[in-house]
Amino acid sequence: MAAALGTLVFYSEFDDFETWKKALQAQLPTLQVVHATAVERPEDVHYAMAWKPPAGFFQRMPNLRLIINLGAGVDALVARDDLPPGIPITRITDPQMGRMMAGYVLFAVLRHARDIPHFEQAQRRGEWAYRHPRAHADITVAVLGLGQLGAMAATEVQRQGFRTLGWSRSPRRIEGVACRSGMDTLDEVLDQADIVVLMLPLTPETRGLFDRARLQRLKRGAAFVNVARGTLVDQAALTELLESGHIDSATLDVFEREPLPAGDPLWRMPKVLITPHLASVAIPESSALQIAANIQRVAAGQEPEHRIDAMRGY
Ligand code: NDP
């Protein structure tokens, strides 16, 4: 019989505990999976899988070996001041999650490329407002952030025949995508883009990267898509540039404040599509494969994969 793996504690207000427990135990039958509210012996907990747990959460468990961020974005986790030192942190990097995100990004890119906001407005006026479609090859899409999610999205975009630019911190190679790296190349990428897609993690370097000056650099009539984090962008400046028409339209899944407050002017903008932070979510059945492999690695005294670098911020 396989040796017992010990206990994993689960905390999330957004994800269903029983579904995750079933998915994890299907991979690791000897792993005890316990909800944070039901932990009797915190000293027996070796693994914590959590999304935005309360302050002091990890400090209750003196024998933790692994922290699993229940999501792809780790900004909320690495910003905490109560992380136990030296415990590896991993995040969800599931191909199914990448596919869901790539689907959303492709939808958003096509929405702008095919002038759907224009037709939606015309329909509301009862108007047959013909606008000749542009060829995909004549539209440049810039995908900023080429990580687990961004690389997959950029690949899908280029497969549709768009001229696709990619941007990251270190050099990347993606077939069909013209990749640039480093801060000194960002403006050159933006200057060419008809559609800008933000897929960067929120870090001290990227917070506020899209300030007023940078947003003003976007081509007149460009479209803006943000599926990363709201605080990468000066939202007031984005709103003004949308109002003035400098930025034509936007698809926004993330905001400076979430939920987006009821009176926010973005709600009323006819060419802005707002979705409530769900471009992609962790899927228990497929994510459990990656989580289980990491738990087995740690139990065997090895380094987990996809470890995040808290200093770098992602
Ligand atoms: P990764 O950590 O795998 O990749 C991050 C990418 O951004 C890498 O290409 C990295 O460069 C690049 N990057 C980081 N910092 C900089 C910088 N200063 N300058 C230029 N490039 C930079 O992230 P994922 O692809 O997994 O996810 C991206 C983000 O998407 C997450 O951090 C999260 O915030 C967001 N997200 C949103 C969801 C939603 O539902 N809206 C769901 C899931 C995630 P390099 O390649 O050199 O490391």
Side-chain angles (χ1 to χ4, degrees), residues 139-165:
I139 298 174
T140 300
V141 181
V143 178
L144 310 181
L146 299 173
Q148 296 285 332
L149 303 176
M152 209 182 261
T155 299
E156 287 302 324
V157 169
Q158 71 81 28
R159 267 158 45 123
Q160 291 296 320
F162 294 103
R163 179 169 175 258
T164 308
L165 310 179

PDB file of all heavy atoms in Angstrom, residues 139-165:
ATOM      1  N   ILE A 139      -4.498  43.745 -39.638  1.00  0.00           N
ATOM      2  CA  ILE A 139      -4.732  44.170 -38.248  1.00  0.00           C
ATOM      3  C   ILE A 139      -3.586  43.636 -37.387  1.00  0.00           C
ATOM      4  O   ILE A 139      -3.273  42.438 -37.426  1.00  0.00           O
ATOM      5  CB  ILE A 139      -6.083  43.622 -37.745  1.00  0.00           C
ATOM      6  CG1 ILE A 139      -7.218  44.192 -38.608  1.00  0.00           C
ATOM      7  CG2 ILE A 139      -6.294  43.963 -36.269  1.00  0.00           C
ATOM      8  CD1 ILE A 139      -8.582  43.613 -38.311  1.00  0.00           C
ATOM      9  N   THR A 140      -2.973  44.538 -36.613  1.00  0.00           N
ATOM     10  CA  THR A 140      -1.864  44.123 -35.748  1.00  0.00           C
ATOM     11  C   THR A 140      -2.347  44.000 -34.309  1.00  0.00           C
ATOM     12  O   THR A 140      -2.923  44.937 -33.756  1.00  0.00           O
ATOM     13  CB  THR A 140      -0.715  45.146 -35.828  1.00  0.00           C
ATOM     14  OG1 THR A 140      -0.267  45.210 -37.185  1.00  0.00           O
ATOM     15  CG2 THR A 140       0.454  44.745 -34.929  1.00  0.00           C
ATOM     16  N   VAL A 141      -2.107  42.825 -33.747  1.00  0.00           N
ATOM     17  CA  VAL A 141      -2.504  42.552 -32.359  1.00  0.00           C
ATOM     18  C   VAL A 141      -1.238  42.410 -31.531  1.00  0.00           C
ATOM     19  O   VAL A 141      -0.348  41.641 -31.894  1.00  0.00           O
ATOM     20  CB  VAL A 141      -3.335  41.238 -32.270  1.00  0.00           C
ATOM     21  CG1 VAL A 141      -3.757  40.974 -30.835  1.00  0.00           C
ATOM     22  CG2 VAL A 141      -4.547  41.284 -33.192  1.00  0.00           C
ATOM     23  N   ALA A 142      -1.146  43.155 -30.430  1.00  0.00           N
ATOM     24  CA  ALA A 142       0.008  43.023 -29.535  1.00  0.00           C
ATOM     25  C   ALA A 142      -0.427  42.312 -28.266  1.00  0.00           C
ATOM     26  O   ALA A 142      -1.340  42.773 -27.574  1.00  0.00           O
ATOM     27  CB  ALA A 142       0.570  44.403 -29.192  1.00  0.00           C
ATOM     28  N   VAL A 143       0.202  41.181 -27.990  1.00  0.00           N
ATOM     29  CA  VAL A 143      -0.080  40.433 -26.763  1.00  0.00           C
ATOM     30  C   VAL A 143       1.065  40.722 -25.797  1.00  0.00           C
ATOM     31  O   VAL A 143       2.218  40.344 -26.050  1.00  0.00           O
ATOM     32  CB  VAL A 143      -0.216  38.920 -27.043  1.00  0.00           C
ATOM     33  CG1 VAL A 143      -0.467  38.158 -25.750  1.00  0.00           C
ATOM     34  CG2 VAL A 143      -1.337  38.651 -28.045  1.00  0.00           C
ATOM     35  N   LEU A 144       0.751  41.397 -24.700  1.00  0.00           N
ATOM     36  CA  LEU A 144       1.789  41.799 -23.747  1.00  0.00           C
ATOM     37  C   LEU A 144       1.790  40.816 -22.585  1.00  0.00           C
ATOM     38  O   LEU A 144       0.814  40.732 -21.831  1.00  0.00           O
ATOM     39  CB  LEU A 144       1.515  43.225 -23.267  1.00  0.00           C
ATOM     40  CG  LEU A 144       1.256  44.240 -24.392  1.00  0.00           C
ATOM     41  CD1 LEU A 144       1.015  45.620 -23.820  1.00  0.00           C
ATOM     42  CD2 LEU A 144       2.420  44.278 -25.374  1.00  0.00           C
ATOM     43  N   GLY A 145       2.876  40.044 -22.477  1.00  0.00           N
ATOM     44  CA  GLY A 145       2.951  38.950 -21.504  1.00  0.00           C
ATOM     45  C   GLY A 145       2.826  37.653 -22.276  1.00  0.00           C
ATOM     46  O   GLY A 145       1.796  37.385 -22.900  1.00  0.00           O
ATOM     47  N   LEU A 146       3.919  36.870 -22.287  1.00  0.00           N
ATOM     48  CA  LEU A 146       3.945  35.635 -23.083  1.00  0.00           C
ATOM     49  C   LEU A 146       4.226  34.437 -22.185  1.00  0.00           C
ATOM     50  O   LEU A 146       5.050  33.585 -22.491  1.00  0.00           O
ATOM     51  CB  LEU A 146       5.012  35.748 -24.175  1.00  0.00           C
ATOM     52  CG  LEU A 146       4.804  36.872 -25.184  1.00  0.00           C
ATOM     53  CD1 LEU A 146       6.008  37.003 -26.106  1.00  0.00           C
ATOM     54  CD2 LEU A 146       3.525  36.645 -25.993  1.00  0.00           C
ATOM     55  N   GLY A 147       3.530  34.411 -21.037  1.00  0.00           N
ATOM     56  CA  GLY A 147       3.724  33.302 -20.108  1.00  0.00           C
ATOM     57  C   GLY A 147       2.842  32.120 -20.476  1.00  0.00           C
ATOM     58  O   GLY A 147       2.493  31.921 -21.639  1.00  0.00           O
ATOM     59  N   GLN A 148       2.477  31.345 -19.453  1.00  0.00           N
ATOM     60  CA  GLN A 148       1.662  30.137 -19.674  1.00  0.00           C
ATOM     61  C   GLN A 148       0.385  30.488 -20.426  1.00  0.00           C
ATOM     62  O   GLN A 148      -0.031  29.761 -21.314  1.00  0.00           O
ATOM     63  CB  GLN A 148       1.277  29.535 -18.311  1.00  0.00           C
ATOM     64  CG  GLN A 148       2.439  29.051 -17.494  1.00  0.00           C
ATOM     65  CD  GLN A 148       3.001  27.754 -18.018  1.00  0.00           C
ATOM     66  OE1 GLN A 148       2.272  26.962 -18.619  1.00  0.00           O
ATOM     67  NE2 GLN A 148       4.278  27.527 -17.817  1.00  0.00           N
ATOM     68  N   LEU A 149      -0.234  31.598 -20.053  1.00  0.00           N
ATOM     69  CA  LEU A 149      -1.505  31.979 -20.678  1.00  0.00           C
ATOM     70  C   LEU A 149      -1.271  32.823 -21.929  1.00  0.00           C
ATOM     71  O   LEU A 149      -1.900  32.609 -22.964  1.00  0.00           O
ATOM     72  CB  LEU A 149      -2.368  32.749 -19.680  1.00  0.00           C
ATOM     73  CG  LEU A 149      -2.677  32.000 -18.373  1.00  0.00           C
ATOM     74  CD1 LEU A 149      -3.465  32.891 -17.418  1.00  0.00           C
ATOM     75  CD2 LEU A 149      -3.455  30.725 -18.640  1.00  0.00           C
ATOM     76  N   GLY A 150      -0.357  33.794 -21.818  1.00  0.00           N
ATOM     77  CA  GLY A 150      -0.134  34.722 -22.924  1.00  0.00           C
ATOM     78  C   GLY A 150       0.384  34.027 -24.174  1.00  0.00           C
ATOM     79  O   GLY A 150      -0.040  34.342 -25.297  1.00  0.00           O
ATOM     80  N   ALA A 151       1.280  33.073 -24.008  1.00  0.00           N
ATOM     81  CA  ALA A 151       1.861  32.392 -25.173  1.00  0.00           C
ATOM     82  C   ALA A 151       0.784  31.623 -25.937  1.00  0.00           C
ATOM     83  O   ALA A 151       0.751  31.630 -27.177  1.00  0.00           O
ATOM     84  CB  ALA A 151       2.981  31.450 -24.728  1.00  0.00           C
ATOM     85  N   MET A 152      -0.108  30.994 -25.172  1.00  0.00           N
ATOM     86  CA  MET A 152      -1.172  30.220 -25.827  1.00  0.00           C
ATOM     87  C   MET A 152      -2.141  31.155 -26.564  1.00  0.00           C
ATOM     88  O   MET A 152      -2.582  30.865 -27.679  1.00  0.00           O
ATOM     89  CB  MET A 152      -1.925  29.397 -24.781  1.00  0.00           C
ATOM     90  CG  MET A 152      -2.504  28.127 -25.332  1.00  0.00           C
ATOM     91  SD  MET A 152      -3.437  27.198 -24.112  1.00  0.00           S
ATOM     92  CE  MET A 152      -2.275  25.982 -23.617  1.00  0.00           C
ATOM     93  N   ALA A 153      -2.437  32.289 -25.933  1.00  0.00           N
ATOM     94  CA  ALA A 153      -3.349  33.253 -26.562  1.00  0.00           C
ATOM     95  C   ALA A 153      -2.715  33.822 -27.833  1.00  0.00           C
ATOM     96  O   ALA A 153      -3.376  33.930 -28.873  1.00  0.00           O
ATOM     97  CB  ALA A 153      -3.692  34.361 -25.575  1.00  0.00           C
ATOM     98  N   ALA A 154      -1.433  34.168 -27.755  1.00  0.00           N
ATOM     99  CA  ALA A 154      -0.753  34.738 -28.931  1.00  0.00           C
ATOM    100  C   ALA A 154      -0.759  33.736 -30.085  1.00  0.00           C
ATOM    101  O   ALA A 154      -0.952  34.102 -31.250  1.00  0.00           O
ATOM    102  CB  ALA A 154       0.676  35.140 -28.566  1.00  0.00           C
ATOM    103  N   THR A 155      -0.558  32.474 -29.755  1.00  0.00           N
ATOM    104  CA  THR A 155      -0.571  31.424 -30.782  1.00  0.00           C
ATOM    105  C   THR A 155      -1.933  31.345 -31.465  1.00  0.00           C
ATOM    106  O   THR A 155      -2.029  31.252 -32.697  1.00  0.00           O
ATOM    107  CB  THR A 155      -0.189  30.065 -30.143  1.00  0.00           C
ATOM    108  OG1 THR A 155       1.132  30.205 -29.605  1.00  0.00           O
ATOM    109  CG2 THR A 155      -0.213  28.933 -31.136  1.00  0.00           C
ATOM    110  N   GLU A 156      -2.989  31.392 -30.651  1.00  0.00           N
ATOM    111  CA  GLU A 156      -4.346  31.338 -31.229  1.00  0.00           C
ATOM    112  C   GLU A 156      -4.615  32.549 -32.115  1.00  0.00           C
ATOM    113  O   GLU A 156      -5.232  32.431 -33.169  1.00  0.00           O
ATOM    114  CB  GLU A 156      -5.406  31.292 -30.112  1.00  0.00           C
ATOM    115  CG  GLU A 156      -5.486  29.970 -29.398  1.00  0.00           C
ATOM    116  CD  GLU A 156      -5.792  28.809 -30.336  1.00  0.00           C
ATOM    117  OE1 GLU A 156      -6.556  28.980 -31.297  1.00  0.00           O
ATOM    118  OE2 GLU A 156      -5.228  27.721 -30.109  1.00  0.00           O
ATOM    119  N   VAL A 157      -4.160  33.721 -31.675  1.00  0.00           N
ATOM    120  CA  VAL A 157      -4.397  34.952 -32.435  1.00  0.00           C
ATOM    121  C   VAL A 157      -3.685  34.873 -33.785  1.00  0.00           C
ATOM    122  O   VAL A 157      -4.259  35.165 -34.833  1.00  0.00           O
ATOM    123  CB  VAL A 157      -3.939  36.181 -31.608  1.00  0.00           C
ATOM    124  CG1 VAL A 157      -3.906  37.441 -32.460  1.00  0.00           C
ATOM    125  CG2 VAL A 157      -4.854  36.392 -30.392  1.00  0.00           C
ATOM    126  N   GLN A 158      -2.424  34.434 -33.766  1.00  0.00           N
ATOM    127  CA  GLN A 158      -1.687  34.379 -35.035  1.00  0.00           C
ATOM    128  C   GLN A 158      -2.261  33.313 -35.964  1.00  0.00           C
ATOM    129  O   GLN A 158      -2.228  33.463 -37.179  1.00  0.00           O
ATOM    130  CB  GLN A 158      -0.172  34.249 -34.809  1.00  0.00           C
ATOM    131  CG  GLN A 158       0.344  32.935 -34.276  1.00  0.00           C
ATOM    132  CD  GLN A 158       0.493  31.859 -35.338  1.00  0.00           C
ATOM    133  OE1 GLN A 158       0.711  32.156 -36.504  1.00  0.00           O
ATOM    134  NE2 GLN A 158       0.350  30.610 -34.927  1.00  0.00           N
ATOM    135  N   ARG A 159      -2.830  32.258 -35.385  1.00  0.00           N
ATOM    136  CA  ARG A 159      -3.455  31.212 -36.228  1.00  0.00           C
ATOM    137  C   ARG A 159      -4.656  31.739 -37.011  1.00  0.00           C
ATOM    138  O   ARG A 159      -5.038  31.181 -38.030  1.00  0.00           O
ATOM    139  CB  ARG A 159      -3.924  30.036 -35.353  1.00  0.00           C
ATOM    140  CG  ARG A 159      -2.870  28.949 -35.249  1.00  0.00           C
ATOM    141  CD  ARG A 159      -3.057  28.088 -34.044  1.00  0.00           C
ATOM    142  NE  ARG A 159      -4.421  27.691 -33.832  1.00  0.00           N
ATOM    143  CZ  ARG A 159      -4.829  26.426 -33.755  1.00  0.00           C
ATOM    144  NH1 ARG A 159      -3.961  25.448 -33.940  1.00  0.00           N
ATOM    145  NH2 ARG A 159      -6.077  26.134 -33.496  1.00  0.00           N
ATOM    146  N   GLN A 160      -5.241  32.821 -36.527  1.00  0.00           N
ATOM    147  CA  GLN A 160      -6.361  33.442 -37.236  1.00  0.00           C
ATOM    148  C   GLN A 160      -5.882  34.404 -38.315  1.00  0.00           C
ATOM    149  O   GLN A 160      -6.684  35.081 -38.947  1.00  0.00           O
ATOM    150  CB  GLN A 160      -7.253  34.204 -36.249  1.00  0.00           C
ATOM    151  CG  GLN A 160      -8.017  33.313 -35.297  1.00  0.00           C
ATOM    152  CD  GLN A 160      -9.018  32.430 -36.022  1.00  0.00           C
ATOM    153  OE1 GLN A 160      -9.674  32.861 -36.960  1.00  0.00           O
ATOM    154  NE2 GLN A 160      -9.097  31.181 -35.591  1.00  0.00           N
ATOM    155  N   GLY A 161      -4.564  34.505 -38.461  1.00  0.00           N
ATOM    156  CA  GLY A 161      -4.021  35.310 -39.551  1.00  0.00           C
ATOM    157  C   GLY A 161      -3.757  36.764 -39.198  1.00  0.00           C
ATOM    158  O   GLY A 161      -3.412  37.563 -40.075  1.00  0.00           O
ATOM    159  N   PHE A 162      -3.930  37.126 -37.926  1.00  0.00           N
ATOM    160  CA  PHE A 162      -3.602  38.501 -37.535  1.00  0.00           C
ATOM    161  C   PHE A 162      -2.085  38.666 -37.510  1.00  0.00           C
ATOM    162  O   PHE A 162      -1.354  37.723 -37.175  1.00  0.00           O
ATOM    163  CB  PHE A 162      -4.148  38.819 -36.128  1.00  0.00           C
ATOM    164  CG  PHE A 162      -5.646  38.835 -36.073  1.00  0.00           C
ATOM    165  CD1 PHE A 162      -6.356  37.775 -35.537  1.00  0.00           C
ATOM    166  CD2 PHE A 162      -6.350  39.917 -36.586  1.00  0.00           C
ATOM    167  CE1 PHE A 162      -7.745  37.784 -35.500  1.00  0.00           C
ATOM    168  CE2 PHE A 162      -7.741  39.940 -36.558  1.00  0.00           C
ATOM    169  CZ  PHE A 162      -8.435  38.872 -36.018  1.00  0.00           C
ATOM    170  N   ARG A 163      -1.622  39.861 -37.824  1.00  0.00           N
ATOM    171  CA  ARG A 163      -0.209  40.158 -37.609  1.00  0.00           C
ATOM    172  C   ARG A 163      -0.048  40.256 -36.092  1.00  0.00           C
ATOM    173  O   ARG A 163      -0.676  41.106 -35.448  1.00  0.00           O
ATOM    174  CB  ARG A 163       0.148  41.480 -38.302  1.00  0.00           C
ATOM    175  CG  ARG A 163       1.576  41.883 -38.103  1.00  0.00           C
ATOM    176  CD  ARG A 163       1.951  43.050 -39.014  1.00  0.00           C
ATOM    177  NE  ARG A 163       3.298  43.456 -38.689  1.00  0.00           N
ATOM    178  CZ  ARG A 163       3.599  44.519 -37.942  1.00  0.00           C
ATOM    179  NH1 ARG A 163       2.650  45.314 -37.481  1.00  0.00           N
ATOM    180  NH2 ARG A 163       4.858  44.798 -37.659  1.00  0.00           N
ATOM    181  N   THR A 164       0.749  39.381 -35.524  1.00  0.00           N
ATOM    182  CA  THR A 164       0.772  39.258 -34.062  1.00  0.00           C
ATOM    183  C   THR A 164       2.150  39.613 -33.510  1.00  0.00           C
ATOM    184  O   THR A 164       3.167  39.046 -33.924  1.00  0.00           O
ATOM    185  CB  THR A 164       0.384  37.808 -33.645  1.00  0.00           C
ATOM    186  OG1 THR A 164      -0.833  37.475 -34.298  1.00  0.00           O
ATOM    187  CG2 THR A 164       0.194  37.699 -32.138  1.00  0.00           C
ATOM    188  N   LEU A 165       2.139  40.547 -32.554  1.00  0.00           N
ATOM    189  CA  LEU A 165       3.365  40.921 -31.854  1.00  0.00           C
ATOM    190  C   LEU A 165       3.254  40.409 -30.420  1.00  0.00           C
ATOM    191  O   LEU A 165       2.168  40.414 -29.840  1.00  0.00           O
ATOM    192  CB  LEU A 165       3.523  42.447 -31.811  1.00  0.00           C
ATOM    193  CG  LEU A 165       3.371  43.225 -33.122  1.00  0.00           C
ATOM    194  CD1 LEU A 165       3.546  44.714 -32.867  1.00  0.00           C
ATOM    195  CD2 LEU A 165       4.414  42.736 -34.131  1.00  0.00           C
TER     196      LEU A 165
END
